[in-house]
Amino acid sequence: MGHRRQGPGSAGLTFLQLAPILCRAALRRPYGLPATPATFQLENNLVHVPSGQSQPDESRVYRLCQGVSGFNTKGYARMFCVDELSTDRPTAVELLEIMAATLSQTVVPATAPHAQHQARVVANLCRVLGRELAADKPTTVSIPPSLRDVDNATADDAYGHILELVRAKLAVNKPGYDAHGAAQERDIVA
Amino acid sequence: MSRINETTLGSYLSTALQSDVTVANLAPVTAGARRINVLFDATIDDAHRGLCITQLPNEGDAFRSIPDEVQWLNLAHTADMNVAEVVAWSDDASVLGGPFFITQQIHGVTIPKHVIELCSATPGLGSKVAFQLGESLAKLHVRSIDEVPADVERPPGTAVDAALAWIDEGISELLQRSPAFELVVRWLTNNQPPPAPITPIHGDTRNGNIIVNENGLGAILDWETAHIGEPFEDLAWLAQRMWRVRNDHLEIGGFADRSDLRSGYEAGGGTWSDERFHWWKVYRCVWWGLGLARQGRQHLDGTFRSVIMAASGRRVAELEWDALCLIDPGVRST
């Protein structure tokens, strides 16, 4: 049987039963942790998840699942292995981190004043890209085709969803910016 | 190419001022993308004076011609605003390699973070600067539109009409849909303030375009986007969050409260309205958000390829957030 499952989920389930659990676990894995082809092994339609490697990357798993017709077990296992083997460490996120640090700490001080601002901007963009690669996939929401002429109820209903969409963009582009919101702005005006 | 140096400047000023002028200590300072600003010391008939030359090396990049900007500066000076007095100017590119004007040099800081730090370290300074800004802008806003350069566009309808038309154009040019701005434009359309007179306005008064020193407001800089519009377009621009440099608890530039600006504005002869201020504050959020999106697009379509312009596209969400917060149906700030 060989299905010792030591991470989140239940042992002894078929792959199709385990797949949603696997994906949920996948959502929580910090980007850049070691993951080997052995992370998930398929044996007799069951999945083995070694201890300590129970949180693979969300976006990667999603991409894999989207690429597998019918989400079959064999395809899932094969593609996951291929994906894990197709890049080396450092990961893209890890590279962007060191690129940003090098620009900020080494290049900017050694750069002529007129180019320093550009170098700082490039360093910041590296950080933005790193966060974007590591970010959770935004939740899909339904928004009317145009909001300019909708009634009040529709506008009020859409407001919260749109605020969350913008908040998700800020988490990538400018983390922490949403700490100052409507209530804080009202308070400083009062 | 700019040909500003001690010899060329001294020679020009000697002729322009019909005096014996020598120039020394040229010091380029932080400038906008299209302009060169150089501080220098001049000795004019044995009298020492600090001056500043502002030059447009590429005249085609300018929002406004040097003669027009000088006319605005002179109007502001006549109105007794806090501005640097123009000493000399020329739109003849053969003189120094590009049209320019020379003003008196005003001591102080201009970088927003430094302005906030100075105000934080000096009790009462932030309030004083905001008061002086309000007072100074009121003095401009009470002037007649007949006093501004003749080629400055006169909006055919109200300033609000023109503002909403501009937004329509900006929304139509977006490379991707902005549901946030759609909601905010809906709010702007449904909450238009009553028509108000149009006046000369500066157009870009903010923390970053002012000189501040230990005595208060030294000068309002950068008159290249001055135009005819509604006074609160100026006043509400000062309250945008991006000028606060994370000092978000002080609405005006991160260094003062709105009440300080209002007091100065009323002291200068202006009439205050919180409702109009709020509408224009929301408008300016969308306006700048669409401006940033436009910069990102100009990078992508090759009009102006630059990493700065590209990065602007990723800043749009900040303005979407700010604008949404201002129209929050639960806690709308006024």
Side-chain angles (χ1 to χ4, degrees), chain B residues 61-80:
Chain B
D61 292 342
F63 289 132
R64 161 156 297 128
S65 72
I66 286 292
D68 274 3
E69 186 164 353
V70 167
Q71 195 172 337
W72 277 98
L73 279 163
N74 287 338
L75 168 63
H77 191 255
T78 304
D80 195 28

Side-chain angles (χ1 to χ4, degrees), chain B residues 52-208:
Chain B
C52 175
I53 179 168
T54 298
Q55 186 180 46
L56 299 170
N58 303 302
E59 200 170 1
D61 292 342
F63 289 132
R64 161 156 297 128
S65 72
I66 286 292
D68 274 3
E69 186 164 353
V70 167
Q71 195 172 337
W72 277 98
L73 279 163
N74 287 338
L75 168 63
H77 191 255
T78 304
D80 195 28
M81 297 179 69
N82 294 71
V83 291
E85 182 183 9
V86 177
V87 175
W89 63 275
S90 172
D91 60 350
D92 182 353
S94 69
V95 178
L96 292 174
F100 64 88
F101 59 81
I102 296 170
T103 62
Q104 65 179 124
Q105 191 181 122
I106 295 177
H107 153 73
V109 294
T110 57
I111 295 171
K113 184 173 170 229
H114 296 169
V115 169
I116 291 171
E117 286 171 353
L118 180 61
C119 289
S120 299
T122 314
L125 182 62
S127 294
K128 182 178 182 182
V129 171
F131 184 97
Q132 291 173 311
L133 278 167
E135 188 176 39
S136 220
L137 287 172
K139 290 175 179 174
L140 175 66
H141 296 161
V142 299
R143 307 295 290 208
S144 166
I145 61 173
D146 295 334
E147 296 179 76
V148 305
D151 61 348
V152 172
E153 185 182 356
R154 269 67 175 167
T158 67
V160 168
D161 291 338
L164 290 174
W166 191 95
I167 290 231
D168 277 341
E169 185 183 343
I171 292 264
S172 71
E173 291 175 350
L174 285 174
L175 293 179
Q176 63 197 67
R177 184 183 171 196
S178 170
F181 285 155
E182 288 174 16
L183 262 191
V184 179
V185 173
R186 176 186 180 276
W187 184 92
L188 285 168
T189 305
N190 294 342
N191 291 275
Q192 294 178 52
I198 51 175
T199 71
I201 68 172
H202 177 274
D204 198 13
T205 307
R206 58 178 169 86
N207 185 5

Side-chain angles (χ1 to χ4, degrees), chain B residues 275-302:
Chain B
E275 288 70 30
R276 302 192 85 84
F277 187 94
H278 183 67
W279 192 91
W280 283 99
K281 187 175 171 184
V282 176
Y283 167 77
R284 282 291 220 163
C285 254
V286 184
W287 180 83
W288 185 231
L290 292 173
L292 289 170
R294 178 174 289 176
Q295 290 184 3
R297 192 186 68 248
Q298 288 176 330
H299 164 75
L300 291 171
D301 69 17

